[in-house]
Amino acid sequence: MNAISKDGVALAHEEGGVPVIKIALPNLDAYQVGYLMMFFVASLLEMNPFN
């Protein structure tokens, strides 16, 4: 039920022109969460996190 609700909200936002980003982590461990945090820090510092 939660997954259906989440997908419905994302779809409604996309159809309304609101930007949506979906993030999927292969594992929820310290390495993956740290990697995700560094991605956002690089984005905030206006650096390309993919370099």
Side-chain angles (χ1 to χ4, degrees):
M1 188 65 137
N2 286 337
I4 294 170
S5 175
K6 177 187 66 164
D7 291 340
V9 169
L11 182 61
H13 280 82
E14 287 175 6
E15 290 176 352
V18 177
V20 175
I21 184 171
K22 291 182 182 181
I23 300 172
L25 298 175
N27 297 316
L28 190 58
D29 58 7
Y31 178 81
Q32 297 297 327
V33 173
Y35 198 89
L36 181 63
M37 290 171 60
M38 289 307 298
F39 171 82
F40 285 117
V41 168
S43 296
L44 288 173
L45 295 175
E46 297 180 356
M47 297 171 55
N48 184 352
F50 298 107
N51 282 342

